[in-house]
Each structure stands twice: as structure tokens, then as C-alpha cells.
Amino acid sequence: MESCSFRTATSPSPFPSAPSSSSSPRAPCPSLRFARARNGRQMRMRRMASGFDAFPPLPGKVFVEETIGAEYGEGFETFRMDGPLNIDVDYLNEKLQECFLQRIRHAMKPDEAFGLIFSWDNVIADTDSLKLDAWRQLALEEGKDIPTAAHIQKSILHGAADHVLRKVLYWAKEDDQMERLKARLIELYYESLFKLDTPVEGLREWLDAVRTAGIPCAVASSLDRRCMVEALDRMALSKYFKAIVTDEDDMESIAHRFLSAAVKLDRKPSKCIVFEDDPRGVTAAHNCTMMAVSLIGAHPAYELEQADLAVARYSELSVINLRRMFAHKGLSFMDMQKQIIERSPPKRKLTVDTIF
């Protein structure tokens, strides 16, 4: 009989483990008030003197355009005694195979074989409104106006802060002015984040249905872990997520965050479904051999046509939709197969025996 080795906290793992959100006591995320610093050094000294060194370094990754990642099998890299070990998508799909008992359980409860990975931005919380409020407040403080043109608004929401300040709004010419504006922008964003207590409409009902089906869920974000956990607690969503991937996991790209979430959920990447609202996130999910469900809103439907399923709201989803996304896949899906040519049996020759 095939043996099943259970993964525990003390057993060695073939891939690098990331810290869990339950490994340390939760500390409240402070409502920080930063002084208007003229440079990044003064701001960092202020933060360390306050005892909040875990706060993400300004300007953080909120207003930074991250790389997609996982192209051509790119993955993690860890170091062992015998040398470096490259852990890519194929490696995780092989090492996270279901063992004997898991296959029996998933045969009886097939929904538990999947893993759901939710992106934070506009999938769990309406972060576009937070970003717009931060930009508008910054414009009010600086005595400037933000154009209402559609392409300008799109650049502000999805572009890097350096590019927007220098090439779109033309607010910053000197480096010192650029650093000051970015520091104030991220401060305004976190001030709004500390007040956020309402998730995306229909998310809680959808998570209730998923939890009833026994499907584990993870959330991936570039936010600080303490602030992320506090935001989930304010929205009463912490109980739904088995794993959290944040800035402390030190992921270099969007795809790396998704792979880290799959490892924490103990699910193969090819058995995970990513919930995204951005076409870049959909591409990152497909690079990781994951399925992608996109929410129409921040981007129109025609920009999300690469997703496996696109919905306008969570109320349109059901657990059966998740099963159908994998219905066409088998153990050898997309493998090269020989064409079988069916040969018709030879025709029988009919003879007439004449009896004399």
C-alpha cells in the first residue's frame, strides 16, 4: 500500500517555508502620524524612534508597478548544504502531489482538492477608492488639480508613483520633492486603510459558501503583515483565510506571491484558482499553471478576456463553477499523445456451399 507522509511543522519540506500569520501574536496596527519629512532618511529615523520599524519602507509597494513573474519556469531559489535549489512551477506541481489518504478524501469531497487565492486589491477591498482619495488629498495639500480625463485617472490608479508624479501630473522635478510627495502619498493611503472596515460587496457570502465546501483560501498582498491582519479583522474576514502572503514574505513578483500562497495552502499550483481584477494578475496566474477568475470593475471585460471566468460580482459565482473549470483536465491533459487510427475489421467473404 502506498504510504502517506504528513507534512508537519517539524518535518522537513522540499520547498522553503514562509512564516504563517498565526506564528506570532497579533499586534495592533498603529494609527501612525508622520511629520512632513524633507527626505527619506528623516522619515525612517522617525519611524524607528516610534518603535514601528515593521511598517513598510516608504514609499512601499502600494504605488509601485510590480513585475508579473514566473516566465519560462521562473520560481524561487533557496540554498542547501549541497548547493542552490531552484523551486519553480513544475517542481511544486510534482512535490505537492496528493498522497494516498488525500486522494481518497478528495474523491469523496472533490471541492477540497482546490485552493483559492484572493488578491487584496479590488478583490477583497476597494483599494482604488483609497488610492484616489490619497491622490486627491495630496493635490489639495499641494494646491494642485488632478485632470479628470479617463487615461489620466487610469495612469494614476495603475501606474507607479514616480511615473505619475514626473510624467503624468508633472508635480515633481527634483529628487527631494519626489521623495517628499511619495512619502506623503503613502502616508495618506495608510491613513485611509486604517479606517477600512467594509469588504467588496458579496465577498462574505461567497466565502461562507466556499468555507462550507471545505475549500482552503489564501490572500496575497504587498501590504505589511500586521496592517493586513488588522484590516481583515476589521472586516471580520480573518476566519476565512488559512494563509496570508504579505510584504514580509519578500516575494519579487506577483506570480511569486501566488506560488507562496499555494505552498502555504499545501495545494499544487495547477489545482489553485486566483481571484484577480487586473490583467497582469491573470497573466501571472496562468504563468503559474493556475486558473484565474477575474472581477469586472477596475478593468473592463474586454481587458480580462484571458481569464478563465469573468464575473461582475460574487453573487454570480457558485462552487459548481469551480468544478467546471477543471472538468476538462485529466492527469495527462495537454500531453503529447499518439493518434490512434481505428482499423475496420476485415470483411468476411461469403461463400455459398453447393451440396450435390
Side-chain angles (χ1 to χ4, degrees), residues 48-334:
M48 294 176 64
S50 302
F52 302 131
D53 196 25
F55 195 81
L58 299 180
K61 294 183 180 179
V62 178
F63 295 93
V64 175
E65 188 174 2
E66 297 180 276
T67 58
I68 295 176
E71 296 91 350
Y72 307 107
E74 175 191 358
F76 304 101
E77 185 172 289
T78 184
F79 293 91
R80 299 287 182 87
M81 295 297 294
D82 54 351
L85 175 64
N86 184 29
I87 302 178
D88 56 9
V89 178
D90 294 335
Y91 182 91
L92 292 177
N93 278 325
E94 178 184 357
K95 293 298 181 181
L96 290 173
Q97 292 283 352
E98 299 170 342
C99 66
F100 177 71
L101 294 180
Q102 285 177 324
R103 286 198 296 268
I104 295 177
R105 181 176 181 84
H106 293 166
M108 297 184 294
K109 298 182 178 181
D111 297 329
E112 295 184 5
F114 308 136
L116 305 187
I117 302 172
F118 292 81
S119 180
W120 167 257
D121 292 328
N122 302 314
V123 175
I124 293 180
D126 183 12
T127 56
D128 276 0
S129 62
L130 301 183
K131 291 181 180 180
L132 277 178
D133 290 343
W135 278 109
R136 290 167 181 166
Q137 182 65 27
L138 181 64
L140 183 63
E141 294 178 359
E142 297 294 324
K144 300 181 181 296
D145 295 325
I146 297 180
T148 58
H151 69 282
I152 299 293
Q153 297 285 331
K154 185 175 182 180
S155 299
I156 289 175
L157 287 175
H158 307 293
D162 301 71
H163 174 75
V164 173
L165 290 171
R166 194 181 299 274
K167 300 294 184 181
V168 179
L169 299 177
Y170 306 102
W171 289 359
K173 296 181 179 179
E174 303 295 333
D175 292 339
D176 291 343
Q177 187 180 17
M178 173 74 72
E179 294 300 323
R180 180 181 64 83
L181 291 176
K182 289 196 300 183
R184 180 56 180 164
L185 179 65
I186 194 69
E187 178 186 349
L188 292 171
Y189 176 83
Y190 271 89
E191 286 179 357
S192 299
L193 178 65
F194 295 153
K195 304 174 184 178
L196 182 65
D197 58 358
T198 305
V200 172
E201 182 182 358
L203 174 62
R204 186 173 287 107
E205 291 77 12
W206 169 241
L207 290 177
D208 280 328
V210 169
R211 188 184 187 189
T212 303
I215 307 176
C217 299
V219 55
S221 171
S222 60
L223 293 176
D224 174 73
R225 178 175 298 275
R226 291 194 300 172
C227 295
M228 181 72 182
V229 171
E230 284 295 316
L232 291 176
D233 287 341
R234 284 194 301 273
M235 293 185 287
L237 298 178
S238 297
K239 62 181 180 180
Y240 297 109
F241 296 104
K242 180 181 178 181
I244 296 177
V245 179
T246 57
D247 186 49
E248 282 82 354
D249 293 280
D250 198 20
M251 298 292 105
E252 299 178 356
S253 64
I254 304 172
H256 286 182
R257 286 207 298 267
F258 293 161
L259 291 176
S260 177
V263 170
K264 292 185 177 185
L265 291 177
D266 195 18
R267 295 293 186 272
K268 297 190 302 181
S270 60
K271 280 288 188 179
C272 291
I273 303 174
V274 174
F275 287 77
E276 261 286 353
D277 78 305
D278 195 298
R280 292 167 53 83
V282 173
T283 302
H286 287 165
N287 287 349
C288 298
T289 68
M290 299 177 180
M291 293 291 186
V293 176
S294 61
L295 293 180
I296 303 171
H299 293 268
Y302 63 84
E303 293 184 3
L304 301 169
E305 59 183 5
Q306 298 299 325
D308 300 282
L309 181 63
V311 295
R313 57 189 65 87
Y314 282 106
S315 59
E316 299 177 8
L317 287 172
S318 64
V319 177
I320 192 64
N321 296 136
L322 307 183
R323 300 178 193 170
R324 290 175 177 173
M325 294 176 66
F326 293 93
H328 67 289
K329 284 196 171 184
L331 295 177
S332 58
F333 178 69
M334 291 298 291

